[in-house]
Amino acid sequence: MKLTKKLTAMAMAVLMAASLMACGGKEASEPAAADTETQEPAADTSAAEDTEDTAADETEDAATDAAEDAADQVSDEVAAGGNIGVCIYKFDDAFMTTYRNALQEILEGKGYTVTVMDGKNDQAEQNNQINNFIAQEVDALIINPVMTSAADQIIATVKDADIPTVLINREPTAEQMAAYDKLVYVGCDARQSGTMQGELILDTPNKGDINGDGKISYIMIQGDPENIDAQYRTEYSVKALTDAGMEVEELDLQRGDWDRNKGQEIAQNDLAKFGEEIEVIFCNNDDMAIGALQAIQAAGRTVNEDIYLVGVDALDAALNEVVNGNMTGTVLNDANGQAAGAVEAMEALLGGKTYAEGEQSIYVDYVKVTPDNAADFQ
């Protein structure tokens, strides 16, 4: 039996027992029927009535205390006895490593039993893990989908099992979320991160136009183009430039799958092909940006002098490069804040909260990171 059902039954049992105590106390205080032929003359009963009222009040207080104790026990049991299944799309993603470690620390600190599974970037593998968690009757699930396109299947599965579920990092559409009222998404609005990347370029002395030809020539190293975060970061980083009245030229856009080695390879090939035409390298995450930095340095280019480089996530390695002047900037993707928000949303669901359509996405703000403030996040 799931924890929530067990605790609800426990609370109801305590409340019923308390109610019976109250009823029983009342009946016990009523005088038994007497033989009127042998009954003595009635005495002053006011003291007895006072005693009866006091006993009833005490019984009611006991019932109230029992109810409060039951509620407290339910609250304590939710934190102390819950079994939580966590599915991460792959363990060797640098950002999700930070995220899952924060998530596990918070959950275990609250007394939950936590099992974290590596999806190995394989949706079929993750589907099996979700089904296994359901078979084990976990009390809640926290899922970082391998593929955003699998959202319909994931949501249908957890809905059929009636398991409170928090989706993280990869956001389904509002229409998909609306299919299940015990479902919440906790993450960041990727449009904000893309906009901030563009702003980092606009904040440079020449607004990204290093060669002064009136346009910003860039390459875009994208994550997984099927992922909504990759789509929004790609679109809105450039949109920030055009909204500011800048002319842009896309020299190349390639898929890097969030991977450092792929980021290095793409940047290396593009630097060899386009040379000094490249003024800006946009990367959808920091891991690919660090790979691109290796290619930039190998090509004899210098960030913030003859080329600009921006990423997203504010990984420790990227923060060090920003502080040292080797990256123009990054955008903090607050893993700790999102982990805390995911746990808070999960506990609300375990407590019986349901969410109406349009209220199922909870966002944590991104933060623009520059050489001026990067040390604050280290």
Side-chain angles (χ1 to χ4, degrees), residues 224-235:
D224 175 0
E226 189 267 344
N227 183 291
I228 192 66
D229 282 8
Q231 295 169 19
Y232 281 151
R233 289 173 188 174
T234 297
E235 176 184 356

Side-chain angles (χ1 to χ4, degrees), residues 34-220:
D35 185 347
T36 56
E37 293 181 0
T38 59
Q39 187 172 347
E40 295 293 332
D44 184 2
T45 61
S46 60
E49 291 173 352
D50 289 344
T51 301
E52 180 180 331
D53 290 342
T54 298
D57 290 343
E58 290 175 349
T59 304
E60 291 175 2
D61 289 342
T64 300
D65 290 343
E68 290 176 352
D69 289 344
D72 290 342
Q73 186 173 2
V74 168
S75 177
D76 291 343
E77 288 278 348
V78 166
N83 292 313
I84 311 301
V86 179
C87 296
I88 301 299
Y89 95 99
K90 68 172 184 175
F91 276 10
D92 60 357
D93 179 289
F95 173 73
M96 288 312 302
T97 297
T98 302
Y99 195 140
R100 68 180 165 87
N101 288 342
L103 193 60
Q104 187 163 2
E105 181 178 352
I106 294 170
L107 286 167
E108 291 179 348
K110 286 175 168 285
Y112 293 102
T113 299
V114 186
T115 305
V116 186
M117 300 300 295
D118 180 3
K120 301 175 183 177
N121 205 26
D122 182 337
Q123 189 60 60
E125 174 79 10
Q126 187 176 78
N127 291 343
N128 289 334
Q129 292 166 357
I130 293 170
N131 288 329
N132 287 337
F133 277 137
I134 290 171
Q136 294 165 18
E137 295 190 336
V138 296
D139 298 294
L141 286 167
I142 298 176
I143 302 173
N144 164 217
V146 172
M147 299 173 62
T148 309
S149 59
D152 284 326
Q153 180 181 357
I154 291 171
I155 293 168
T157 299
V158 299
K159 180 181 180 180
D160 287 346
D162 193 33
I163 292 183
T165 301
V166 180
L167 299 179
I168 60 172
N169 191 246
R170 294 179 173 181
E171 184 178 9
T173 66
E175 291 76 18
Q176 290 172 317
M177 297 281 290
Y180 185 34
D181 63 0
K182 295 180 183 178
L183 179 74
V184 178
Y185 170 77
V186 176
C188 297
D189 184 345
R191 287 166 289 203
Q192 185 185 45
S193 62
T195 298
M196 288 182 174
Q197 282 191 304
E199 290 172 351
L200 287 167
I201 300 304
L202 292 171
D203 289 342
T204 63
N206 46 31
K207 297 185 177 182
D209 183 14
I210 293 174
N211 60 20
D213 65 353
K215 63 184 177 183
I216 302 170
S217 300
Y218 69 91
I219 66 168
M220 179 73 66

Side-chain angles (χ1 to χ4, degrees), residues 316-345:
D316 287 343
L319 290 173
N320 289 336
E321 300 299 354
V322 174
V323 168
N324 293 328
N326 295 322
M327 283 181 61
T328 306
T330 185
V331 180
L332 173 67
N333 193 4
D334 187 358
N336 292 319
Q338 290 177 69
V343 173
E344 182 178 352

